[in-house]
Amino acid sequence: MACRVSNINCLRAYPPSTPRFSPQCHHQNPNSPPLLLNNHSFPPPLTLKPHLPKQMMSCSVTLRRSFVTVKSHMATAEEMSISEDRMLVFVPPHPLIKHWVSVLRNEQTPSPIFRNAMAELGRILMYEASRDWLPMVTGEIQSPMGVASVEFIDPREPVAIIPILRAGLALAEHASSILPATKTYHLGISRDDETLQPTIYLNKLPDTFPEGSRVLVVDPMLATGGTIVASLELIKERGVENQQIKVISAVAAPPALQKLSEKFPGLHVYTGIIDPTVNDKGFIVPGLGDAGDRSFGT
């Protein structure tokens, strides 16, 4: 299901059991090409595609709030080829993601629960981001009942986890518990309250990443885009291609997504939700406030 949030066009799909816009929807054959939206207002195109629905629904619906329009069409082979060089934004339609985002949004949520909710949301998003992405090795093992063909994640190629301090620490907390092989590199970036420009105060990245490295950049709030763009530029300077980077965020907004789409084609972004706007102080609205302050109580 394609949607338009503010000036961003994207693609959204839901499992058939989800009761969304059913009077105007029909199920698409899962073997058909994926839906892809014609982009008229956001060059270069931005496609949003939740992970592995059993079926996809083609819909044309206008929501009550004026900033969202839902529409879709079938992608042509030419469009599917072009989409390989587009930035993709994934919003997995999982009820636990919606639950933890709701906990984070609540201004009454105390700091310890907020930090735990951020960690749980990060766990699910990193799980989704690692699907069909990790290097595997195959072999045979002896089970109690016989010989079995098996596949393991290759420990020789650890995923680089790069949390953007300080809020990124909470979102990346469970990375080592779901990914068997990781290395963590910290980036500390602060944002000026007046100019909204980023300043790097800590850089623990290696001089060069090994060829073919897979990198997860963890930044809870993609608001104006200054911090995440500065982070990705540092990573690319060290030899990592856009297609090898995935960004994990709790909440994203159109200004940041537009900058990322223009500067990093082929990048993948996984987020809990996309909010419609950013205020003049650089905060996402409705968002969830200052993720770092609320995670650590300071």
Side-chain angles (χ1 to χ4, degrees):
M1 182 185 299
C3 62
R4 179 177 176 181
V5 182
S6 184
N7 67 335
I8 291 182
N9 291 330
C10 49
L11 180 69
R12 186 184 298 272
Y14 297 99
S17 59
T18 306
R20 296 176 185 271
F21 319 120
S22 57
Q24 301 183 43
C25 299
H26 63 274
H27 289 304
Q28 175 185 332
N29 187 318
N31 296 321
S32 299
L35 296 173
L36 189 64
L37 181 68
N38 275 334
N39 180 36
H40 302 292
S41 61
F42 185 52
L46 171 68
T47 305
L48 185 151
K49 187 166 143 187
H51 233 34
L52 293 180
K54 296 274 175 106
Q55 290 178 308
M56 300 182 71
M57 295 192 294
S58 176
C59 308
S60 180
V61 181
T62 300
L63 301 187
R64 291 181 181 178
R65 290 188 291 179
S66 61
F67 61 82
V68 178
T69 302
V70 181
K71 58 184 180 178
S72 68
H73 81 286
M74 290 296 296
T76 66
E78 180 180 2
E79 288 171 329
M80 293 176 64
S81 176
I82 294 173
S83 71
E84 295 179 359
D85 294 326
R86 294 175 176 176
M87 187 185 83
L88 301 181
V89 179
F90 297 81
V91 181
H94 197 292
L96 285 174
I97 290 177
K98 297 172 185 177
H99 170 80
W100 293 121
V101 168
S102 298
V103 173
L104 293 170
R105 285 203 195 277
N106 188 355
E107 66 177 359
Q108 301 300 321
T109 300
S111 179
I113 297 177
F114 184 94
R115 187 167 59 251
N116 178 71
M118 188 70 78
E120 292 300 326
L121 178 60
R123 183 204 302 270
I124 301 169
L125 291 173
M126 286 185 283
Y127 172 86
E128 293 290 344
S130 62
R131 192 192 301 266
D132 300 325
W133 192 55
L134 301 176
M136 305 293 293
V137 292
T138 61
E140 289 187 343
I141 59 170
Q142 181 69 45
S143 82
M145 304 303 294
V147 176
S149 299
V150 295
E151 295 180 82
F152 292 102
I153 293 171
D154 192 340
R156 298 168 297 180
E157 300 184 39
V159 176
I161 309 297
I162 304 177
I164 309 303
L165 307 185
R166 62 183 169 154
L169 292 173
L171 194 61
E173 183 174 329
H174 293 313
S176 61
S177 70
I178 60 172
L179 298 172
T182 64
K183 287 186 176 181
T184 301
Y185 305 93
H186 295 93
L187 267 180
I189 301 179
S190 61
R191 188 178 68 174
D192 187 277
D193 292 338
E194 298 297 327
T195 66
L196 304 182
Q197 295 303 306
T199 300
I200 299 168
Y201 63 86
L202 178 70
N203 182 352
K204 290 296 185 179
L205 298 179
D207 292 335
T208 304
F209 284 95
E211 184 178 356
S213 291
R214 294 165 174 81
V215 177
L216 285 179
V217 183
V218 185
D219 187 4
M221 310 301 291
L222 303 183
T224 63
T227 297
I228 189 63
V229 167
S231 303
L232 294 179
E233 287 176 344
L234 287 173
I235 294 166
K236 284 182 60 63
E237 289 172 2
R238 288 156 172 79
V240 183
E241 298 297 327
N242 295 343
Q243 291 79 3
Q244 294 300 105
I245 303 172
K246 297 192 177 186
V247 174
I248 306 295
S249 77
V251 184
L257 296 178
Q258 181 167 355
K259 287 181 181 178
L260 291 174
S261 181
E262 292 170 351
K263 293 178 176 290
F264 305 102
L267 180 72
H268 287 186
V269 176
Y270 287 75
T271 186
I273 197 165
I274 299 176
D275 277 353
T277 189
V278 173
N279 66 18
D280 57 0
K281 295 184 178 180
F283 283 92
I284 299 174
V285 179
L288 47 84
D290 189 307
D293 289 356
R294 297 191 66 194
S295 291
F296 298 102
T298 57

